[in-house]
Amino acid sequence: MRVNGDAIRVIRERSGLTQTAFAGMVGIDRSHLTHIEAGRRRPSPPMAARIADELCVPMTAILAPAEL
């Protein structure tokens, strides 16, 4: 599942959450979250859903646009 790492970072920062705090909320290491936000790793569908839930946004808010 392709997510928009920049969107995750912006929403997380606007929520006042550090990477360390947010990574703990979703149950991953901070370094894993760093890679997701940078686009170097893709979260599993359940993890993407958890990220969206913890950010209190719909899943569509963190999905990357489809590539043609």
Side-chain angles (χ1 to χ4, degrees), residues 5 8-9 12-13 16-38 40:
I8 293 171
R9 180 186 49 76
R12 174 185 57 76
E13 288 175 347
L17 296 167
T18 64
Q19 280 189 330
T20 302
F22 187 64
M25 290 169 64
V26 296
I28 59 176
D29 292 334
R30 185 200 54 78
S31 62
H32 191 155
L33 178 61
T34 299
H35 289 293
I36 291 171
E37 289 184 351
R40 292 188 297 265

Side-chain angles (χ1 to χ4, degrees), residues 42-62:
R42 292 183 185 179
S44 65
M47 179 54 63
R50 180 156 182 148
I51 288 170
D53 286 346
E54 291 294 339
L55 291 173
C56 300
V57 297
M59 184 77 122
T60 55
I62 65 164

